[in-house]
Amino acid sequence: MDKINRDKLYLDAKAWVLEAGEQIRNKINEPRVIETKSNPDDLVTEMDKQTEKFLVEKIKATYSDHYIIGEEGYGDELTSLQGTVWIIDPIDGTMNFVHQQKNFAISVAVFHDGIGEIGLIYDVMADELYHAKRSEGAFKNEELLPEPRQDLKLEESIVDMNHYFLCPNRIVDEKIMHQMIRTVRGSRTYGSAALELAYVAEGIIDAYLSMRLAPWDIAAGVVIVNEVGGNVTTLDGDELNMLGNNSILACNPKIQEQLLAFIKNGRK
């Protein structure tokens, strides 16, 4: 993808994401239609669907030869990432959107022939846009995000992981995970994978672990984290599959091997 095309794609994507965010803010206090999908905690609202439909219509009207992967079903059924592919999560953190009316994000990535070219994560209520173009740095609004700390120690790290890692289950040994939490400085969870990846890129958390995420949850965050020099792999340290679900470890490279060792020891 040449620079001119990528720059136009980025400007269009940014404009559409900001417009979609404004629409959400304008309707944030309206009554919600809330449904469930795979389980009672997997929520979807009419705003998720409206936002994805808005973005898909903008993309298809402007770039008719591009493909779309979207959470709410307005995209295409793809078996490869060849060509230009937009990967969209209209509201990442729907539970936060429903219960808190904050701490959710619009996440949009553009991949070309399998390479992440553009990533946008918009914290709608905070009006904070994390964004990156490949090889051009990553930003929070207009502020360039720094590279990860080179002197970081695991004992000084803040690790983001949900409670599932710490409860008895069939996948991990919670005792090993408890040991990891006792080793690091602190643990957090925010309820939006997109924002959690953005926070890794920003350096306000040092690692993010998740058992199972879809491409739309992570695509923009992968672009942004990679652009600052962070690492994003599966929990086994393998390359991600951007057409399927993945476990996720996104982190400062200085603590990656130690975290992978804890995870390996904790896997059942």
Side-chain angles (χ1 to χ4, degrees), residues 95-106:
M95 189 179 295
N96 290 350
F97 171 70
V98 170
H99 288 272
Q100 303 174 9
Q101 298 185 336
K102 61 181 181 179
N103 298 324
F104 61 90
I106 300 171

Side-chain angles (χ1 to χ4, degrees), residues 102-147:
K102 61 181 181 179
N103 298 324
F104 61 90
I106 300 171
S107 177
V108 173
V110 181
F111 278 62
H112 183 73
D113 290 342
I115 297 172
E117 297 284 352
I118 294 167
L120 300 157
I121 296 172
Y122 186 39
D123 185 334
V124 173
M125 302 310 292
D127 192 24
E128 293 176 341
L129 179 65
Y130 296 85
H131 54 102
K133 289 182 281 185
R134 184 172 61 86
S135 301
E136 295 187 25
F139 297 80
K140 178 183 179 181
N141 294 332
E142 303 308 315
E143 178 184 355
L144 179 67
L145 297 178
E147 294 182 357

Side-chain angles (χ1 to χ4, degrees), residues 41-100:
D41 298 327
D42 185 9
L43 305 181
V44 62
T45 72
E46 85 291 348
M47 188 59 69
D48 295 77
K49 298 175 182 178
Q50 290 173 13
T51 301
E52 182 165 306
K53 186 172 184 290
F54 166 81
L55 292 169
V56 168
E57 288 176 348
K58 290 288 188 182
I59 295 164
K60 289 297 188 183
T62 309
Y63 302 103
S64 59
D65 59 335
H66 289 190
Y67 302 101
I68 299 170
I69 298 173
E71 180 174 14
E72 307 307 336
Y74 291 96
D76 304 299
E77 294 289 336
L78 300 183
T79 57
S80 83
L81 289 178
Q82 292 304 300
T84 302
V85 181
W86 297 64
I87 305 179
I88 299 171
D89 194 337
I91 297 180
D92 185 79
T94 300
M95 189 179 295
N96 290 350
F97 171 70
V98 170
H99 288 272
Q100 303 174 9

